[in-house]
Amino acid sequence: MSSLRTHDDTWDIATSVGSTAVMVAAARAGETAKADPLIRDPYAEVLVAGVGPGVWDIVRNEEFAAKVAEADAEVAAIFEHMGNYQAVRTHFFDACFTAAATAGIRQVVILASGLDSRAYRLDWPADTVVFEIDQPKVLEYKAARMAEHGVLPSAKRNAVAIDLRLDWPNALREAGFDADAPTAWLAEGLLMYLPAQAQDRLFEQITALSAAGSRVAAETVGHRSDDRRAEFREKFERIAAQFGMQDAPDVAELMYNDPDRADVAEWLNAHGWQASAVTSADEMRRLDRWVLPPEQSDEDGFSSFVTGEKLG
């Protein structure tokens, strides 16, 4: 279990798990600013800039990246890999939503949506409804920031302000969710912050709410040994000390390292879905975004991307 988490903890956009949403948005902003980006998120910079000073200011700074490369090639590769991972992950799940819309699905649920901007930036069919579920302060911040800049959603956006450890299915229904209509679900950047039993419960709830033809997409949790976690923490501390990032959250300490966690694709296939998985390493290599040397290619430690369709 994570040493920084409790079963009743909460957060805003700049603390605990909320701060990881800012770092992910910063990665999207950095990717968007490249000459030939894999994904384009025109709102990522807007969302990050309003949070206030933090490590996210450092990680999307090109001058900082150059200084890291000059000082420590290994650390530079890790930074580049982390940014590439976020771009590839975003690219993969964007494609899942595009495919779901093409198949006629008009109801979308983004779980723990954080600073996800898909309700604003994707080209949704006119009658699409996007439900975003997250902590109240996180949703409030995003809505206010977008409104300040005159940004309107490209679908009907319904914010559902509730912790996923509470009765979110009822809150979702009260927000207008139709359990009889096919739904496209997304659990991106979420499962690692849940213990194993909570992960199972989440997919039980998704299954109960899903009509035939519904689709689910999820990022799984990589399996790292305690030794690998300790090694990662040591590298993180070295990076933080070397480049003035002492205030950065130790993301590994926010996660639940649960050895009893179910394989998501296997769980779905056993509970009325037809599911498959692709490793993030394979997807990164397919898109020519893998930069780590062979000695750091512990693929079990990296996530997989799972997709599934609810059977009739």
Side-chain angles (χ1 to χ4, degrees):
M1 177 176 169
S2 166
S3 62
L4 296 183
R5 300 294 310 283
T6 62
H7 293 301
D8 59 353
D9 56 344
T10 187
W11 49 84
D12 59 21
I13 198 59
T15 61
S16 185
V17 177
S19 66
T20 68
V22 184
M23 290 189 287
V24 170
R28 296 199 307 271
E31 178 68 22
T32 300
K34 292 180 178 179
D36 186 22
L38 183 62
I39 57 101
R40 288 180 171 83
D41 185 344
Y43 309 119
E45 181 65 33
V46 167
L47 291 168
V48 175
V51 178
V55 66
W56 34 85
D57 296 317
I58 297 174
V59 299
R60 71 187 196 282
N61 185 301
E62 291 185 4
E63 293 182 4
F64 169 74
K67 289 178 181 178
V68 173
E70 182 179 346
D72 191 321
E74 179 186 7
V75 171
I78 294 173
F79 267 105
E80 183 180 0
H81 187 85
M82 291 167 61
N84 285 351
Y85 175 82
Q86 296 298 337
V88 168
R89 183 179 81 170
T90 301
H91 181 271
F92 184 91
F93 291 124
D94 280 0
C96 289
F97 279 133
T98 298
T102 300
I105 294 177
R106 298 292 181 264
Q107 183 167 254
V108 173
V109 179
I110 302 177
L111 301 158
S113 59
L115 295 184
D116 186 304
S117 65
R118 292 183 175 97
Y120 298 86
R121 66 177 176 81
L122 292 188
D123 187 17
W124 299 104
D127 52 347
T128 302
V129 181
V130 178
F131 296 90
E132 293 189 350
I133 304 178
D134 211 321
Q135 297 266 348
K137 291 181 179 179
V138 174
L139 292 174
E140 288 168 7
Y141 168 80
K142 179 164 59 176
R145 189 67 178 163
M146 291 301 209
E148 287 171 12
H149 287 76
V151 180
L152 298 175
S154 53
K156 182 181 179 182
R157 175 180 174 269
N158 288 347
V160 184
I162 189 169
D163 192 304
L164 286 170
R165 292 166 294 192
L166 302 178
D167 187 7
W168 65 265
N170 184 58
L172 184 62
R173 292 189 191 95
E174 290 181 348
F177 176 83
D178 181 2
D180 293 326
T183 304
W185 301 87
L186 178 63
E188 176 189 29
L190 167 61
L191 301 184
M192 62 283 294
Y193 303 115
L194 300 177
Q197 287 185 334
Q199 175 179 299
D200 288 350
R201 178 59 179 155
L202 179 74
F203 284 110
E204 288 168 1
Q205 292 166 315
I206 290 171
T207 299
L209 291 167
S210 294
S214 292
R215 298 187 180 193
V216 64
E219 174 192 19
T220 71
V221 183
H223 297 285
R224 285 191 171 93
S225 67
D226 289 341
D227 288 344
R228 287 287 291 164
R229 285 170 64 85
E231 180 184 348
F232 182 86
R233 186 178 299 110
E234 182 180 343
K235 287 182 179 180
F236 180 89
E237 291 172 352
R238 175 162 59 89
I239 292 170
Q242 186 172 357
F243 298 104
M245 300 167 58
Q246 286 87 348
D247 293 335
D250 185 344
V251 176
E253 282 298 302
L254 295 174
M255 301 177 182
Y256 287 87
N257 187 36
D258 198 327
D260 297 323
R261 189 181 299 275
D263 179 285
V264 174
E266 291 180 1
W267 191 99
L268 290 170
N269 282 324
H271 291 82
W273 299 78
Q274 185 174 8
S276 60
V278 58
T279 69
S280 60
D282 284 346
E283 189 68 2
M284 291 181 76
R285 291 190 177 100
R286 184 182 74 83
L287 295 170
D288 196 26
R289 288 303 188 97
W290 185 273
V291 296
L292 293 183
E295 61 270 20
Q296 295 184 25
S297 298
D298 177 16
E299 295 192 13
D300 286 344
F302 294 95
S303 68
S304 291
F305 304 144
V306 174
T307 56
E309 183 171 348
K310 183 72 180 298
L311 302 175

